[in-house]
């Protein structure tokens, strides 16, 4: 969009972006990820630990994906660096605005209207509008309901997540047991993000600090897990949502405005950046070269990736949740899910397929 823009971090800060190499290259994000690598050049998040009934199993992702790897980057950090890079390049961001509305989207000259911090109503005339304002923003709501097909799915579980001042595990950790799913991811050298499977309607008040640490030790199989100050708590909805098409007239829906994906697999921010990359290239071709073929293909191009990652996230969610807790889907599906999980460590082709999907941009 010329003249205006916006962004909303995926999952409202509850998950991290996994910065895949293809995503970083395509969107020009070199230098926006972690600033330092450990001695030897190998990042600790290159290996993923699956702790199954207390027993560790490891997947060396780069070794399985022909050297490709993902990096876990806290999304707040990535968004901050993206904004700083945009401003350094002469971009124009306008904050503290209200009453944003879109008009004439199906015409040749759409407009964005808003009220600035001083109370003055302003209007921007645009060639195109990029709707990057998240699931609850005004962009998708401005599209007539008949123009979109909506697909949604409720996974029937929730994730209770906490940010705590606890040193991270050696590797990103995903734990499976009969006590329920749990995970631990690094958020710097002295902080960790923890996830605990919970009911989707769980209240924050149901999780006091004693229960959190008790359940984490039990589910992670780590009785000596240290405690630390808990600085953030939230319940993440495990739901999926996709609209088709991701375009209406001269409005192009990007990221959470067009699709929501569960945090499992770390694909949310990657999909948003991939959408933006496709749109940026298409806009450049249209505005500089007069070729709008890529704009015409924008929705189809993005949705192919979106559905592929939605399938992967759902597959991984079922495998890790159902392989430990048969109250979710019954003992038969629990054995099926455990067979899928075991296959990752007994079949090289299965492990390579998993690593390829994990590192896919």
């Amino acid at each position: 969009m010329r003249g205006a823009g916006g962004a909303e971090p995926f999952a409202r800060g509850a998950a991290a972006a996994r910065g895949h190499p293809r995503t970083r290259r395509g969107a020009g994000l070199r230098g926006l990820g972690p600033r330092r690598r450990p001695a030897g050049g190998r990042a600790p998040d290159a290996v993923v630990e699956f702790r199954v009934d207390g027993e560790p199993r490891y997947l060396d992702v780069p070794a399985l994906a022909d050297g490709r790897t993902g990096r876990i980057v806290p999304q707040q950090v990535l968004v901050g660096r993206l904004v700083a890079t945009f401003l350094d390049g002469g971009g124009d961001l306008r904050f503290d605005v209200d009453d944003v509305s879109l008009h004439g989207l199906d015409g040749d000259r759409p407009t964005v209207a808003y009220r600035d911090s001083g109370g003055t109503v302003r209007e921007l005339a645009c060639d195109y509008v990029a709707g990057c304002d998240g699931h609850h923003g005004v962009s998708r709501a401005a599209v007539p309901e008949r123009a979109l097909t909506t697909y949604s799915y409720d996974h029937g579980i929730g994730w209770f997540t906490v940010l705590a001042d606890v040193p991270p595990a050696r590797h990103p950790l995903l734990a499976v047991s009969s006590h329920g799913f749990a995970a631990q991811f690094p958020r710097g050298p002295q902080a960790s993000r923890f996830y605990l499977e919970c009911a989707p309607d769980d209240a924050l008040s149901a999780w006091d600090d004693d229960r959190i640490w008790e359940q984490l030790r039990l589910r992670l199989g780590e009785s000596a897990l240290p405690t630390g100050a808990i600085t953030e708590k939230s319940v993440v909805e495990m739901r999926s949502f996709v609209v088709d098409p991701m375009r209406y007239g001269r409005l192009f829906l990007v990221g959470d405005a067009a699709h929501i994906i569960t945090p499992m697999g770390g694909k949310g921010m990657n999909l948003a950046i991939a959408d933006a990359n496709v749109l940026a290239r298409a806009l450049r071709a249209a505005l500089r070269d007069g070729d709008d073929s890529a704009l015409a293909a924008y929705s189809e191009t993005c949705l192919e990736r979106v559905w592929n990652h939605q399938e992967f996230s759902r597959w991984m969610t079922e495998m890790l949740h159902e392989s430990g807790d048969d109250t979710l889907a019954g003992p038969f599906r629990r054995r099926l899910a455990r067979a899928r999980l075991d296959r990752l460590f007994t079949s090289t082709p299965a492990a390579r397929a998993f690593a390829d999907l994990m590192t896919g941009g």
Side-chain angles (χ1 to χ4, degrees), residues 5 11 27 113 164 198 201 211 218 239 249 251 256 263 298 307 326 336:
C198 68
D201 57 352
R211 183 188 180 193
L218 188 65
R239 59 191 174 93
L251 168 67
D256 282 10
Y298 167 76
W307 282 114
D326 64 10
L336 291 179

Side-chain angles (χ1 to χ4, degrees), residues 6 29 48 112 205 217 224 265 300 327 336 343 357:
L29 301 182
V48 179
V112 178
S205 59
R217 292 191 181 104
E300 182 180 0
T327 63
L336 291 179
R343 190 180 299 127
L357 286 164

Side-chain angles (χ1 to χ4, degrees), residues 12-278:
R12 297 177 179 80
R18 176 169 288 273
H20 303 307
R22 279 182 284 190
T23 301
R24 292 196 302 270
R25 286 197 303 269
L29 301 182
R30 294 182 186 275
L32 295 179
R35 300 301 195 197
R36 298 176 60 190
R37 284 182 178 270
R42 190 168 183 77
D45 52 3
V47 174
V48 179
E49 178 184 348
F50 293 80
R51 194 169 294 171
V52 183
D53 298 326
E55 296 296 322
R57 303 179 183 182
Y58 302 96
L59 287 181
D60 188 327
V61 175
L64 292 163
D66 300 322
R68 290 183 288 117
T69 187
R71 297 302 311 278
I72 296 178
V73 184
Q75 64 181 15
Q76 297 91 334
V77 172
L78 181 58
V79 169
R81 292 174 183 166
L82 284 167
V83 169
T85 300
F86 181 72
L87 292 175
D88 288 344
D92 178 8
L93 291 180
R94 306 183 187 189
F95 297 99
D96 299 321
V97 303
D98 295 304
D99 301 328
V100 180
S101 58
L102 309 181
H103 308 277
L105 297 174
D106 54 353
D108 295 332
R109 197 67 171 163
T111 59
V112 178
Y114 66 94
R115 188 183 306 277
D116 67 19
S117 58
T120 301
V121 175
R122 301 188 181 277
E123 185 174 274
L124 300 173
C126 309
D127 294 322
Y128 302 96
V129 178
C132 314
D133 51 349
H135 186 68
H136 299 287
V138 301
S139 296
R140 193 179 68 255
V143 179
E145 186 175 348
R146 57 176 171 74
L148 297 176
T149 299
T150 300
Y151 303 89
S152 60
Y153 185 80
D154 183 348
H155 296 261
I157 55 176
W159 273 8
F160 185 83
T161 174
V162 299
L163 182 65
D165 293 335
V166 174
R170 183 182 179 189
H171 305 293
L173 171 61
L174 303 163
V176 171
S177 75
S178 61
H179 304 293
F181 172 81
Q184 181 181 6
F185 293 96
R187 288 297 178 269
Q190 298 299 324
S192 294
R193 173 75 71 179
F194 294 98
Y195 296 96
L196 289 155
E197 174 191 325
C198 68
D201 57 352
D202 257 9
L204 294 181
S205 59
W207 290 86
D208 60 26
D209 288 8
D210 288 342
R211 183 188 180 193
I212 290 170
W213 295 118
E214 175 190 15
Q215 285 297 310
L216 283 172
R217 292 191 181 104
L218 188 65
R219 299 186 194 191
L220 295 176
E222 192 168 337
S223 59
L225 179 73
T227 62
I230 293 175
T231 58
E232 181 184 303
K233 301 179 184 180
S234 63
V235 176
V236 178
E237 295 179 345
M238 297 291 282
R239 59 191 174 93
S240 297
F241 174 92
V242 180
V243 297
D244 185 357
M246 291 171 54
R247 173 184 183 175
Y248 176 72
R250 290 184 171 242
L251 168 67
F252 296 85
L253 300 175
V254 180
D256 282 10
H259 44 75
I260 295 288
I261 191 168
T262 73
M264 184 66 83
K267 298 295 187 180
M269 184 69 82
N270 290 279
L271 285 175
I273 292 172
D275 291 349
N277 180 51
V278 172

